[in-house]
Amino acid sequence: MRVPFLFAVFFCLVHTNSGDIPPGIRNTICLLQHGKCRLFFCYAGEKKGDICSDPWNRCCVPSPSEEGKW
């Protein structure tokens, strides 16, 4: 009984503690790159960047050729 409990605790600690960037900061980094956090897919003319703070969201940054049009 102790082994499954310890495994569950260990799994939760490892899963929630990625240790690289605090929650919410990834969205700010995406906005500083003039990107938008979108669910799953980016629009045409955008390239996919790093992940955002919310699960499944990706930072979609305008392509260098598209930035001059805006």
Side-chain angles (χ1 to χ4, degrees):
M1 186 68 182
R2 285 186 180 177
V3 173
F5 177 75
L6 292 175
F7 179 76
V9 170
F10 178 74
F11 180 76
C12 289
L13 288 174
V14 170
H15 184 66
T16 58
N17 186 13
S18 61
D20 56 344
I21 298 177
I25 300 297
R26 290 183 185 270
N27 289 345
T28 306
I29 292 171
C30 183
L31 290 174
L32 288 174
Q33 296 174 350
H34 304 289
K36 295 189 186 244
C37 290
R38 301 195 193 280
L39 186 63
F40 296 117
F41 302 108
C42 296
Y43 293 153
E46 293 179 335
K47 66 177 185 171
K48 195 181 285 188
D50 294 330
I51 61 171
C52 292
S53 297
D54 300 325
W56 306 107
N57 284 2
R58 299 293 294 201
C59 181
C60 297
V61 181
S63 305
S65 61
E66 297 290 325
E67 281 185 23
K69 295 180 182 177
W70 298 3

